[in-house]
Amino acid sequence: MKKIIMTVVVLSGVLFAQNAEELIDTNGCLACHAVASKKAAPAFAGIGKRNKRFEGSDAKATIMNAIKNGSKGKYPMFADSAMPAFKNLSQEDLSTLADYILAQSSKAKGRGMGQGMGMGRGMQ
Ligand code: HEC
């Protein structure tokens, strides 16, 4: 019996507590984003850096909200496209993703918005 319970606990950990990279993978974020370089959308590193700088203590909430509800027009370089809404994600998933994105900010290059989000070397 103990063994069965253990197995269930381990399995549910795998199925429900996805880490940020798994969430990014299963939700197709990398179709548009890369971690440290510009793609069809700003790099996660640049997003983390920008939000830390301009939103301060609201950075995490702003990022969670943008993933959940989408975003358009914040990054002039990407004015022609938009961030789709991911209504399927739980608050916990959004929180995991926001923490991950904020943690990438040290990988941002340059100091301005454009530079920070554009000049990476395509690590993915
Ligand atoms: C169809 C392309 C596309 C996909 C897929 C996509 N994004 Fe985005 N994302 C964008 C674009 C374009 C922007 C810039 C929006 C803007 O200028 O306001 C953006 C912006 C963002 C921002 C910045 C919001 C802000 O307020 O600074 C975050 C965070 C983000 N995306 C996270 C994600 C995550 C996490 C996923 C996967 C769950 C994802 N994106 C999937 C295109 C995409």
Side-chain angles (χ1 to χ4, degrees):
M1 189 58 187
K2 239 189 188 158
K3 217 172 190 177
I4 293 173
I5 293 172
M6 287 287 291
T7 311
V8 170
V9 170
V10 170
L11 272 182
S12 56
V14 171
L15 291 176
F16 299 114
Q18 286 188 304
N19 69 32
E21 269 148 18
E22 285 167 348
L23 285 167
I24 285 170
D25 197 34
T26 49
N27 288 286
C29 312
L30 298 180
C32 299
H33 291 275
V35 173
S37 63
K38 181 181 65 173
K39 215 173 160 187
F44 285 144
I47 290 172
K49 194 170 181 179
R50 177 188 196 275
N51 280 282
K52 269 188 186 166
R53 175 173 303 171
F54 294 113
E55 307 293 339
S57 57
D58 292 334
K60 185 170 174 181
T62 304
I63 288 176
M64 287 171 67
N65 184 53
I67 300 170
K68 187 171 184 189
N69 299 312
S71 169
K72 186 168 168 50
K74 265 195 175 173
Y75 296 80
M77 245 178 172
F78 301 96
D80 293 341
S81 50
M83 164 74 193
F86 287 85
K87 304 267 186 206
N88 58 311
L89 294 172
S90 65
Q91 282 302 108
E92 195 189 334
D93 290 345
L94 293 169
S95 168
T96 304
L97 286 166
D99 282 339
Y100 172 85
I101 290 169
L102 285 167
Q104 306 310 309
S105 60
S106 60
K107 293 183 186 157
K109 312 254 184 337
R111 53 189 178 86
M113 279 181 50
Q115 292 143 322
M117 288 181 291
M119 308 309 240
R121 238 173 267 141
M123 40 178 296
Q124 215 201 99

